[in-house]
Amino acid sequence: MRKLIIVLVSFLALAVIVDFGAAAYSEYRVSRAIREGGSLTSDPQVIIHGFPFVTQAADGKYQNVEIRAQDVPTDYVESTTIEANLRGVTVPLSDLIDGSVNTVPVDELEGRVRIDAKDLGQFLGIVDLRVSAPPADRSDGTGGSGGSGPTTTGGGVVLTGTVPVGPIDTEVSVQADLVLDGERVEIVASDFYFGPDGNADFTIPDFAKPTVLGLFTKTIDRQTLPFGILPTDVYAEGSQIVIEGGAQNVTIDLDQIEAP
């Protein structure tokens, strides 16, 4: 009985190793297809979720494929992070083996673009920009407008950076709204922020306030997400601005991760 148990455990361990090996190879093939088709500078991270993998491969249907590509340049910032979740993916096993993974039917697609504070600061021309969410409670006595939840019509965010105020440069914090207008993302500074971790100077003269707020206000004219889906939401998460969207029952081309 002891020998039988050892044999069974060894067999199961071997089966798990083979399963993970097959999954790793398939992830590599998909990653290479995306890099080559999208002209990326490095292999994107690809994770095929679900166990066992070989059962999904035999059926040609995968529960959830996660894709993440970093340092992807755009027309407006030098670097973004692109993420996509593909749920209900249909890919024949033969295509995975020979590397001919191109057009892929997907039941549900979620995609997002993440912009770090540093890159957003380059877009705004504020080199030391910091991004944070304000407290959701308006009763903090700070005058901030609050609201840190994800929304397309006024998601609150605090932007802090050093900008010219009259003849001197000073660090200022502003309350800004993130507004999605069709395919455009508008960053609109609406007021100065004096709350926790904020740094707005009460001595800013009234005549200078519109000019200073304007330095934190700008529009990303056109924003598409992975595989050409359109944005439906924009919000702040940690020190990042996140633009995301989704689609159902679509066929995507892995060669065009950045396709409009």
Side-chain angles (χ1 to χ4, degrees), residues 65-160:
V65 179
E66 183 179 345
I67 300 170
R68 191 170 193 265
Q70 295 180 290
D71 299 324
V72 180
T74 70
D75 293 338
Y76 54 94
V77 295
E78 294 182 359
S79 176
T80 63
T81 296
I82 293 178
E83 298 176 345
N85 282 89
L86 287 59
R87 297 185 175 88
V89 181
T90 302
V91 180
L93 179 59
S94 58
D95 289 352
L96 278 178
I97 293 175
D98 63 20
S100 59
V101 182
N102 296 113
T103 56
V104 178
V106 178
D107 293 343
E108 183 179 353
L109 171 62
E110 293 179 358
R112 65 195 62 85
V113 171
R114 296 181 178 272
I115 307 172
D116 288 328
K118 175 183 176 182
D119 296 297
L120 185 65
Q122 292 177 348
F123 176 65
L124 294 173
I126 304 172
V127 295
D128 62 344
L129 185 76
R130 301 196 302 275
V131 175
S132 59
D137 186 2
R138 291 171 178 256
S139 62
D140 61 358
T142 66
S145 62
S148 58
T151 175
T152 63
T153 56
V157 63
V158 171
L159 303 177
T160 301

Side-chain angles (χ1 to χ4, degrees), residues 43 56 91 212 258:
D43 291 349
Q56 298 184 83
V91 180
V212 175
E258 297 181 88

Side-chain angles (χ1 to χ4, degrees), residues 24 35 51 56 94 159 168 178 192 207 239-240 243:
R35 177 178 180 176
F51 181 83
Q56 298 184 83
S94 58
L159 303 177
I168 62 172
L178 303 174
F192 293 95
F207 73 86
S239 61
Q240 298 177 324
I243 308 166

